[in-house]
Amino acid sequence: MGSSKIKFFKVLCHSSESGVKARVGRITTGHSEFETPVFMPVGTLGNVKAVTNRDLYDLEAGIILGNTYHLYLKPGNDIMSEAGGLHNFMNWKGSLLTDSGGFQVYSLASLKKVEADGVRFSSHIDGSKHFFSPGNVIRTQRIIGADIIMPLDECLPYPSSRKQTEASVDRTVRWEKDCLSAFNETESLYGHNQELFCIVQGSTFKESRKRCIEEIPLKDFSGCAIGGLAVGEKNEIMYDITDYCTDYLLVDKPRYLMGVGTPADILESVERGIDMFDCVIPTRNARHGRIFTTNGEINIKNAKYSRNFNLIDTECLTYTSANFSFAYLRHLFMSREMLAAQLASIHNLGFYLKLMKDIRKAVRENNFKSFKENFLEKYKSNNKK
Amino acid sequence: MGSSKIKFFKVLCHSSESGVKARVGRITTGHSEFETPVFMPVGTLGNVKAVTNRDLYDLEAGIILGNTYHLYLKPGNDIMSEAGGLHNFMNWKGSLLTDSGGFQVYSLASLKKVEADGVRFSSHIDGSKHFFSPGNVIRTQRIIGADIIMPLDECLPYPSSRKQTEASVDRTVRWEKDCLSAFNETESLYGHNQELFCIVQGSTFKESRKRCIEEIPLKDFSGCAIGGLAVGEKNEIMYDITDYCTDYLLVDKPRYLMGVGTPADILESVERGIDMFDCVIPTRNARHGRIFTTNGEINIKNAKYSRNFNLIDTECLTYTSANFSFAYLRHLFMSREMLAAQLASIHNLGFYLKLMKDIRKAVRENNFKSFKENFLEKYKSNNKK
C-alpha cells in the first residue's frame, strides 16, 4: 500500500512561463491512469446524466464523480454494498471520485443542523432523518469504493463573517482529522486502493485559508481540495483565493478546485496551479440547450440557428459536432426530444475534455499564456456579436 | 429507374412448412440493403427517441421511420427542403420510410374533418389549420425524401360499421390512385429513388378488404401495407384479417403491417406472410421501464429487482443487457435519470431486431413453427410467475 501511494500522483512537468503555476501530472488509480489538469464529469447518481459509459470512454474521460449524499439516499448503502461498490454497480471501468456528501447536505437537504460531531439533516426526497459524521462518511465511501474520496467539511455560504469562518475552519479541521483516523482504521472493501484528500476551507479570508492549511496534516492526505469557492463570490475573488492557497499546498500532491467551473475559470485556475476540476456546467447547460463551441457558448434554441445547416463546431469534433448541424440540434430541442440533451451533453463534455487536453499540451510546450489568450479571445468573440 | 424498381425487393426464400406463409426477402434502397421480415424503429420527429444513430447502426437497424405529420409541423417543409431532406437533416445513413401523415391526423390532431379531397385539421401543437390531400402528402414526402413513402388513406377507428367502411374504402382507393398520379408526376429531389407503397383498408370486414385490394392497382406500387389494424380489435381478428389479405397480395412485393406490434403479434403475422413492421412499443415501453427479455416483458421498477445484480438478459445481448444489471437499471428508473430511458430503449430495440434476425433464420431453415413455439413458451413463462 505504501508504494502505491507514492505512485498515485506524479508531476510530469512544470510550466516555465513566468507567473504560470500550471503543471502537468499523472494520476494512477487501481482503475485508470490519466493526466492532470483533468476535468471530471459529474455522475451524481451513478451515471453522468444522459451520457452512457461508452460515450465517456469515447471521450477519454479517465475519471468521473459520484455524489455520496445522493448515492447514500439512493440506492443506499445496503444495495451499494451488495453490488460490490459503485464501479461494479454502474459497470464503470475508469476511476471514480466521491465527495463526502457534506456539500449536498448544505445545498439540498432540509432542516440541516451543523453539530459538533457532524451534520444532521432531512432527506430532500422523503424527509427521512440522517446524520453525517466524519466516521460515517468515510464508512459510506468505503462502501461506494471510489478511488479518491473526500473528508467531511463545512462549506460556508458566501458571504460569511470572519467569525463564522473561523469557527467553521475549527470544525472542518477537526472533522478532517477524524476522517483521516477513520480512513486509517478501515480498509478498501473491494481490493483496490482508495486515496483520501483533504479540503481547505476558510471562505474568502486569506488568514482563515492559511490557518486551515497549516492545521490540516497535508502530507497525510493523497491530495488537497480547495472548497468553499464558486459559491457566489466574484470570479476575481475566487482566482485570488485559489492563487493564495496553491502557494501553500504541497507541490507533489494534486490540487482539486471543487465545483469549478466555466472554461475561463478552468484556464485561470490551471494558471494558478490547480490540477483537478469537476462541475455540472457542461452537462446541466447541455440539457438547457446551452452549447459550448470554440466560438463561445451559444443558446441553440435561438431562432437564428433554425436554418444553419453547418456542423455545430468544426474545430472541436465530438460525435455530436462532427455529425449534426445547428438546425438539427435546435429542432431536437424545440421538439423536446430526449436526444437533444444526449447529443448536447456528449458535445459539452467533449468540449471540456478537449480543452483539458489542449491545456496540458500548452503547459508542456510552455505556451500556456498565449494558448489561454487565444482561446478566450475566440471564445468570447461570439458573445460580443 | 425501371431497373431499380425490379431490384427493390427480392424474395430470397419461402418457408416450406405447411400453413406457414413466411418468407425471407431483401429490400435494397439507395441508402441500404436489409432483409425482411424487418422491424423498423419509429423515429417520429427525425430521431428514434432516446437513441443515437450510432446506437442504431450498432443494432444493425437498416431502416427507420419518420412521421410526415410531425415533420411537416416541425421543422416544416421549408427547413426540411433547405436541409436537403431527412437523411441529410438527421445524418442518417440507412433507409427511411415515412407514413403519409394521415394516421396522426386521425389520432392526434384536433378538429379534423375528412373531406372528399383530403383531410382538414388543426395542429395539436398550436391549433394552426392545415389540409392534407393526396397531392400534398406526396409533395411533402418528396421533400422529406424517404426511400419508401406511403399514400394518404383513411384509417377508421374500431369498431366501424360496414357502411362507414365501404364509404371509407371508396375514399381510400380514390386517394391512393391520386397519390400514384402525383408520385408519377414528380421526381425524387435528392437523387435517390423513392418507392411508393399502397395501403389496404377495410376495417375488420373481409369483403371490404378484398374490394380494396381489387380496386387498388397493386402492381403499380412497390409494396403493399395493411392499415387499419391494431387499432383496438382483438388479436385474433387482426391475425385473421392479415391472413386473409396476404392471400390476395402480390407475392413479389413486400407486405407491411402498419403499427404492429408485440413480439407475439410479429411472430403470428410473419407466419401469415408479413415482411415489414413498425411499432412504438419497444421504445415507448422502454421509457416507462417495461423491458423485453427472452423470459418475458418485465417492469424493471418492481421492487423485486432492487437487489438483482445479474445482467438483464444473458441470451439477447445488447449494449444494455451485456453491461448492466436489473438493479442498476431499476436504480436509474427510480432516480428518474434520463439514462434509464436510453439504456432501456437500446435494449428493447435490440431485442426486437434480434427477434427479426432469429425469425429470418428460422424461416430459412424451415423451422419457423417450432421457433415460434419455443420463443413464446419461454417468453410467456415469466408472465405466469
Side-chain angles (χ1 to χ4, degrees), chain A residues 54 338 342, chain B residues 39 41-42 48-52 55-56 59 280-292 312 318-321 329 333 338-353:
Chain A
R54 192 166 50 171
M338 213 180 276
Q342 298 170 231
Chain B
F39 180 82
V42 177
V48 175
K49 288 187 195 303
V51 179
T52 65
D55 294 323
L56 293 168
L59 293 171
V280 296
I281 284 179
T283 42
R284 179 178 292 166
N285 287 18
R287 296 197 297 282
H288 293 100
R290 297 201 62 91
I291 312 294
F292 290 94
I312 64 165
T318 61
Y319 171 65
T320 305
S321 60
L329 195 55
F333 271 103
M338 212 179 278
L339 187 62
Q342 298 171 231
L343 293 181
S345 298
I346 289 173
H347 177 71
N348 281 0
L349 284 179
F351 181 86
Y352 265 64
L353 294 173

Side-chain angles (χ1 to χ4, degrees), chain A residues 89-215:
Chain A
F89 188 53
M90 67 181 290
N91 194 25
W92 171 247
K93 309 295 189 191
S95 295
L96 285 169
L97 180 150
T98 42
D99 56 15
S100 69
F103 183 78
Q104 271 80 24
V105 169
Y106 306 124
S107 59
L108 281 182
S110 53
L111 301 173
K112 54 241 175 196
K113 186 162 174 258
V114 176
E115 300 180 4
D117 299 332
V119 54
R120 200 168 295 282
F121 64 97
S122 296
S123 156
H124 72 292
I125 302 172
D126 61 6
S128 56
K129 293 184 193 322
H130 304 273
F131 187 71
F132 276 177
S133 67
N136 76 18
V137 301
I138 293 298
R139 233 168 7 249
T140 294
Q141 289 182 92
R142 287 297 196 192
I143 289 168
I144 297 172
D147 303 278
I148 301 174
I149 68 179
M150 305 300 293
L152 188 66
D153 61 342
E154 185 180 17
C155 183
L156 290 177
Y158 175 81
S160 290
S161 72
R162 179 75 201 274
K163 194 177 164 196
Q164 280 177 305
T165 302
E166 285 296 304
S168 176
V169 164
D170 287 343
R171 207 156 26 229
T172 284
V173 169
R174 196 171 67 245
W175 287 355
E176 296 198 28
K177 288 177 177 172
D178 289 347
C179 282
L180 185 62
S181 303
F183 180 76
N184 288 330
E185 286 159 13
T186 54
E187 284 197 344
S188 165
L189 299 173
Y190 314 116
H192 61 267
N193 219 14
Q194 292 186 283
E195 308 286 345
L196 178 67
F197 277 33
C198 59
I199 304 175
V200 173
Q201 290 287 352
S203 188
T204 52
F205 302 101
K206 288 183 179 170
E207 301 82 349
S208 305
R209 291 277 172 183
K210 182 141 189 259
R211 185 167 74 83
C212 193
I213 290 170
E214 285 167 353
E215 295 188 7

Side-chain angles (χ1 to χ4, degrees), chain B residues 147-168:
Chain B
D147 303 278
I148 301 173
I149 68 178
M150 305 301 293
L152 188 65
D153 61 343
E154 184 180 16
C155 182
L156 290 177
Y158 175 82
S160 291
S161 71
R162 181 74 199 274
K163 195 179 162 193
Q164 279 177 306
T165 302
E166 284 296 303
S168 176

Side-chain angles (χ1 to χ4, degrees), chain A residues 290-303:
Chain A
R290 297 202 61 90
I291 313 293
F292 291 94
T293 80
T294 43
N295 293 309
E297 191 181 354
I298 64 166
N299 180 355
I300 194 78
K301 294 182 191 173
N302 194 309

Side-chain angles (χ1 to χ4, degrees), chain A residues 45-55 57-58 71 74-75 78-80 82-83 89-91 287 306-307 309 319 322-325 327-328 330-332 334-335 337-339 341-343 346, chain B residues 45-55 57-58 71 74-75 78-80 82-83 89-91 287 306-307 309 319 322-325 327-328 330-332 334-335 337-339 341-343 346:
Chain A
L45 269 154
N47 76 117
V48 176
K49 286 186 197 302
V51 180
T52 64
N53 290 349
R54 192 166 50 171
D55 294 324
Y57 300 143
D58 284 351
L71 293 168
K74 251 184 197 171
D78 286 354
I79 288 176
M80 189 59 80
E82 286 179 48
F89 188 53
M90 67 181 290
N91 194 25
R287 294 196 299 280
S306 62
R307 285 153 195 268
F309 300 106
Y319 170 66
N323 284 285
F324 305 105
S325 66
Y328 179 66
R330 177 177 190 274
H331 163 73
L332 294 179
M334 300 313 284
S335 304
E337 292 287 292
M338 213 180 276
L339 187 62
Q342 298 170 231
L343 294 180
I346 288 172
Chain B
L45 270 154
N47 77 117
V48 175
K49 288 187 195 303
V51 179
T52 65
N53 290 351
R54 192 165 51 171
D55 294 323
Y57 300 143
D58 284 350
L71 294 166
K74 250 185 197 167
D78 286 355
I79 288 176
M80 189 60 78
E82 285 180 49
F89 188 53
M90 66 181 290
N91 194 23
R287 296 197 297 282
S306 62
R307 286 151 193 269
F309 300 105
Y319 171 65
N323 284 284
F324 305 105
S325 66
Y328 179 65
R330 178 177 189 274
H331 162 73
L332 294 179
M334 300 312 285
S335 304
E337 292 287 295
M338 212 179 278
L339 187 62
Q342 298 171 231
L343 293 181
I346 289 173

